[in-house]
Amino acid sequence: MNMEDLDTVKPDPVTARAVTGGGPPPGERAEGPGLLRTVGEALIQRYAQIVLLVLLIVVFSLATPNFATRQNWTSLLVSQSVIALMTLAVLFPLIVGEFDLSVGYLLGFCAMLGAYLTGRGWPVGAVLVAMVVCGMVAGAWNGVLNVVFGINSFIATLGMGIVLSAMTLMLSNGAILTTVPGLAKTLGRGYAVQVAWAVWIVAIVAIICFYLLQHTPVGARLYAIGGSERVAFLAGVRTGRYKILAFGCAGGLVSLAAVLQLGQAGSVTPSLGPDLLLPAYAAAFLGVTTYRPGFYNVPGVIVAILLLAVGFNGLSLLGVPFWVQPLFNGLALLVAVLAARFVARRRSGERRGPA
């Protein structure tokens, strides 16, 4: 399913130089009556979320003494590690103009697979490798269904998600499994240099994804496919292979999120996963308005995740009801889509110029 179907943002068609190498298409130069206004508009467009994040931190720090504590921030960052990896996962299909609705079900399946194999006496290393391999294979298969068989990604990934849900039930027989690999517990709950391993993992993965997407020919071609698959194909990009690669990367990142989830929870339920889909996409859409407006990007995703986490955490400490979290995520998703449409229309108007 293309981004045009939801009237959200779609990257501009790429130039031949961006297709063959270098970084993604550069942002267009703003035009205005004066340098000050141009710089101000650019700062507002690129860094408004960062300003809002800082304001929320200041407000909640003043409103409750429990917010700015080390314990609260450690808990906040660790609790968002799984969502962060899930959001980075959905970023890859979104960049090539597709959706992956199976990521939530895939997380549940990979976590259940890890608990199941551990209970059967598999070595820890073999369990983790099996989880990652299954995640990448499932993701790549989504790409095959879309590219080779021509099935709309929305339908293909939804169907794949239902299949994964059934396989999760088959492995668990409807029960909660508590057999967790020791290394998963270390990665999910342990600390290194007084920082949680989960936070280190998210930081390392985010840096790798940022470099891959922003500073390599692979990233440029992924953005090119999202901008115009036909133009990218005519420029010599093997679009099918890169789309399968994008789905495979998504599956691999989801399997890594499953490892952290399994280690943090210490158990896995058959219903795990689907409820994480909405927060992941909310952060992905919200991130499109930050750093490089109009493009899905890693820094924007990280800022969006922190913004959502800080907002809900601060409200929770102030005593809001438990149902505020899904309400907050839903409203954030709507605001993100509206903001993305505004940025897209503004960019389109700047390209056309005055009538």
Side-chain angles (χ1 to χ4, degrees):
M1 182 175 183
N2 293 327
M3 300 307 301
E4 295 176 329
D5 298 333
L6 290 184
D7 288 329
T8 52
V9 176
K10 186 175 182 180
D12 298 322
V14 72
T15 61
R17 176 180 176 276
V19 174
T20 55
E28 298 192 15
R29 182 175 300 173
E31 296 182 2
L35 178 62
L36 184 61
R37 178 180 175 183
T38 301
V39 173
E41 290 180 351
L43 289 175
I44 292 175
Q45 285 187 3
R46 290 176 178 267
Y47 305 114
Q49 280 194 56
I50 297 178
V51 174
L52 178 58
L53 175 61
V54 173
L55 288 176
L56 285 177
I57 292 174
V58 172
V59 169
F60 289 134
S61 297
L62 295 175
T64 170
N66 297 323
F67 178 79
T69 63
R70 177 183 177 86
Q71 180 181 3
N72 181 61
W73 272 93
T74 299
S75 176
L76 184 150
L77 293 176
V78 171
S79 66
Q80 294 302 307
S81 58
V82 174
I83 292 295
L85 291 177
M86 292 282 286
T87 307
L88 291 172
V90 302
L91 198 65
F92 282 86
L94 286 174
I95 286 174
V96 297
E98 304 292 346
F99 275 94
D100 189 346
L101 300 183
S102 68
V103 291
Y105 299 99
L106 180 57
L107 177 117
F109 171 75
C110 289
M112 187 64 73
L113 178 66
Y116 176 83
L117 295 179
T118 301
R120 293 299 182 275
W122 280 43
V124 173
V127 171
L128 298 185
V129 169
M131 293 173 66
V132 174
V133 169
C134 285
M136 294 179 66
V137 170
W141 180 245
N142 284 329
V144 170
L145 291 175
N146 176 246
V147 173
V148 178
F149 295 97
I151 303 176
N152 184 284
S153 62
F154 191 97
I155 303 300
T157 57
L158 181 60
M160 187 65 178
I162 296 173
V163 171
L164 290 170
S165 178
M167 295 176 67
T168 301
L169 290 172
M170 178 188 69
L171 290 177
S172 66
N173 198 26
I176 298 175
L177 300 187
T178 58
T179 48
V180 179
L183 182 56
K185 291 182 179 179
T186 300
L187 296 177
R189 307 177 189 176
Y191 287 79
V193 198
Q194 296 185 339
V195 177
W197 269 113
V199 177
W200 283 115
I201 291 172
V202 171
I204 293 171
V205 171
I207 292 172
I208 293 173
C209 290
F210 174 77
Y211 180 80
L212 175 67
L213 293 173
Q214 301 292 130
H215 299 287
T216 68
V218 173
R221 289 161 187 161
L222 292 176
Y223 276 104
I225 294 170
S228 174
E229 185 173 350
R230 178 174 175 80
V231 170
F233 178 78
L234 293 176
V237 177
R238 296 184 176 181
T239 56
R241 293 186 180 183
Y242 280 97
K243 291 179 77 172
I244 294 174
L245 174 65
F247 279 102
C249 289
L253 290 174
V254 169
S255 64
L256 185 56
V259 173
L260 294 185
Q261 174 65 34
L262 185 59
Q264 291 174 6
S267 63
V268 55
T269 66
S271 61
L272 172 68
D275 58 329
L276 300 177
L277 182 67
L278 175 59
Y281 272 102
F285 286 128
L286 194 58
V288 93
T289 61
T290 303
Y291 181 67
R292 299 184 68 242
F295 297 89
Y296 297 102
N297 62 88
V298 174
V301 160
I302 299 302
V303 172
I305 291 170
L306 290 175
L307 182 64
L308 294 173
V310 166
F312 177 70
N313 179 260
L315 292 174
S316 298
L317 292 176
L318 292 176
V320 298
F322 67 93
W323 48 263
V324 169
Q325 181 175 12
L327 176 64
F328 187 81
N329 289 334
L331 291 176
L333 178 58
L334 293 175
V335 171
V337 173
L338 290 175
R341 292 185 62 185
F342 172 78
V343 172
R345 289 176 179 177
R346 186 180 183 86
R347 290 172 61 87
S348 178
E350 290 176 352
R351 286 195 297 268
R352 288 195 298 268

